Amino acid sequence: MTKTVEQLHASLINDGDFLSLTRSHEWHMPAFEFEVVGAQYNTKVSVLDTGIIVFEPQTQTTKDVVLSCAVHGNETAPIEICAELIQQAILGNITLSQRVLFLFGNPAAMNIAERFVEENLNRLFSGAHSEDGGLKNKERIRAKDLENAVRDFFESGGSDRDRKHYDLHTAIRESKNDKFAVYPFRHGKPWKTTELSFLKACGVSTILLSHSPTTTFSYFSSNNFGADAFTVELGKVRPFGENDMTQFADAKRTLKALITDEDMQLTPFDEHDFSIFEIDQTINRTKENFVLHFPDDAKNFTDYPVGYLLATDGDIEYHVRTEGEAIIFPNANVALGQRALLTVKPTKL
Ligand SMILES: [Zn+2]
């Protein structure tokens, strides 16, 4: 039974459970807004669509923060973190001190506990949703809607603001470096060490520097709005309710501190605290006969000796070329033309 806007509103202010409302509206939800009354100031809350909610404290703020999760539907731990922050903010248990846009990327994929329904959402940003056949499925339309939500959020905040976008994920496979972040290509602008200190406080000390434009959500915000943006991988995928939330405690505490102006407990940047990598080879699957030559359960950041045969794509062979070169995000079952494997190599800032 479809609920009226009044019923949606009543339900949300009663239990603060925006995640459940989102999951019961897979692709769209009517917009509505309300205010949370606070001790010092009120906070305007705008539900813009399913999985899209903005908090605007009615006081002086300096940051516009986007926290996105469920761009891959089965990556549950970050969803639970965001759902809890949203709930606490609506119920008045925490008071936000910065403008925040929360996004649950792909509710329909969440409901089937899959990465995506038809197409990987995190390959559809920066306009990729409208190329190669255009807006031909719901994920492509969703990518465009999410882009619009981020654009409206940053632009309505104004240009001289501190813009952040942390796109929160968990990886499909175990990782030697359990948590890591991809720092999108900055077109020659310097990498920001203060941002790396923030990530370290979140428990993330492995950083992967990207050297080319991509169709990910974080690159979209970085490139279009000058946001400090990252794809943050917080551990391994598990079903809802089965996450060991102690693993995510640092991330949760630091993200909460960021938006409530508590002390984030940042430590000064020291390169020795980090493992920094850059992308070396991007290996696409172009043939039906595509094989990865390492165990199915190989962990992200596993390295192999120089010369090791990593993959064959029909007749083409891909070998390890550099000392310390390691695999990341292997997936032999991607569609033809898609990325099946990245390799990374150690680097310095
Ligand atoms: Zn993901």
Side-chain angles (χ1 to χ4, degrees):
M1 202 181 71
T2 313
K3 287 186 176 158
T4 64
V5 176
E6 290 72 25
Q7 287 169 322
L8 293 174
H9 178 191
S11 146
L12 188 60
I13 56 173
N14 178 50
D15 62 12
D17 189 356
F18 187 57
L19 177 58
S20 293
L21 275 196
T22 291
R23 295 185 71 175
S24 61
H25 294 79
E26 292 195 333
W27 299 104
H28 285 292
M29 187 195 294
F32 60 95
E33 59 185 53
F34 57 95
E35 283 209 355
V36 174
V37 177
Q40 267 124 47
Y41 53 82
N42 293 355
T43 299
K44 182 179 164 197
V45 184
S46 308
V47 171
L48 301 176
D49 200 339
T50 191
I52 304 179
I53 188 167
V54 179
F55 291 82
E56 296 177 288
Q58 304 299 295
T59 184
Q60 185 84 20
T61 62
T62 56
K63 293 181 180 133
D64 296 330
V65 180
V66 179
L67 296 180
S68 56
C69 61
V71 164
H72 294 135
N74 59 351
E75 299 178 359
T76 53
I79 300 171
E80 291 173 307
I81 292 173
C82 289
E84 191 181 323
L85 290 172
I86 293 168
Q87 184 169 45
Q88 290 185 333
I90 291 174
L91 297 180
N93 298 332
I94 60 173
T95 302
L96 301 190
S97 55
Q98 302 292 352
R99 289 180 78 234
V100 186
L101 166 63
F102 287 98
L103 299 169
F104 293 122
N106 195 338
M110 247 192 254
N111 284 347
I112 56 171
E114 295 283 352
R115 199 167 160 75
F116 53 84
V117 180
E118 288 185 71
E119 197 169 0
N120 182 351
L121 196 51
N122 214 20
R123 299 284 176 278
L124 291 175
F125 292 96
S126 296
H129 48 69
S130 296
E131 293 162 10
D132 291 334
L135 297 167
K136 64 187 179 185
N137 60 45
K138 287 178 172 169
E139 266 135 351
R140 288 182 166 225
I141 295 164
R142 182 68 173 167
K144 193 176 178 193
D145 290 346
L146 292 172
E147 282 186 358
N148 288 338
V150 168
R151 178 181 297 108
D152 291 347
F153 176 72
F154 282 138
E155 289 184 348
S156 61
S159 56
D160 54 348
R161 309 256 306 163
D162 194 1
R163 293 170 171 174
K164 312 281 184 198
H165 181 178
Y166 302 104
D167 184 34
L168 307 172
H169 290 250
T170 50
I172 301 172
R173 57 185 55 228
E174 301 277 357
S175 176
K176 275 177 78 181
N177 306 49
D178 165 50
K179 302 176 177 65
F180 60 97
V182 181
Y183 203 153
F185 182 43
R186 284 177 55 77
H187 296 265
K189 282 181 284 179
W191 310 104
K192 288 192 186 174
T193 55
T194 48
E195 281 297 309
L196 300 195
S197 294
F198 172 81
L199 290 167
K200 181 168 164 265
C202 290
V204 178
S205 57
T206 298
I207 309 293
L208 180 52
L209 305 177
S210 173
H211 292 307
S212 58
T214 59
T215 50
T216 62
F217 204 7
S218 62
Y219 175 76
F220 170 75
S221 290
S222 171
N223 185 51
N224 289 282
F225 309 107
D228 297 316
F230 294 84
T231 307
V232 186
E233 302 278 353
L234 288 175
K236 189 174 181 293
V237 168
R238 301 204 190 285
F240 274 116
E242 292 182 22
N243 292 299
D244 170 10
M245 292 311 280
T246 58
Q247 260 204 65
F248 306 99
D250 288 341
K252 197 165 135 184
R253 177 187 55 74
T254 308
L255 291 169
K256 181 173 158 232
L258 171 73
I259 58 178
T260 58
D261 272 359
E262 284 167 24
D263 180 8
M264 292 194 281
Q265 301 174 30
L266 304 192
T267 50
F269 176 75
D270 179 348
E271 190 148 1
H272 295 104
D273 294 338
F274 293 86
S275 299
I276 298 176
F277 293 90
E278 62 188 348
I279 291 167
D280 189 354
Q281 304 190 60
T282 301
I283 297 170
N284 292 327
R285 178 187 188 191
T286 68
K287 306 275 168 36
E288 282 301 331
N289 181 21
F290 182 91
V291 184
L292 293 172
H293 297 282
F294 47 81
D296 274 348
D297 60 353
K299 295 177 176 180
N300 276 328
F301 294 99
T302 302
D303 59 315
Y304 293 96
V306 172
Y308 186 92
L309 178 63
L310 291 169
T312 45
D313 183 33
D315 296 335
I316 308 164
E317 296 189 342
Y318 292 96
H319 296 264
V320 172
R321 303 184 302 197
T322 318
E323 187 74 40
E325 187 175 341
I327 58 150
I328 189 169
F329 301 136
N331 187 353
N333 299 319
V334 293
L336 292 185
Q338 298 254 312
R339 188 189 81 197
L341 176 66
L342 284 177
T343 72
V344 297
K345 59 184 180 186
T347 187
K348 293 194 182 313
L349 275 195

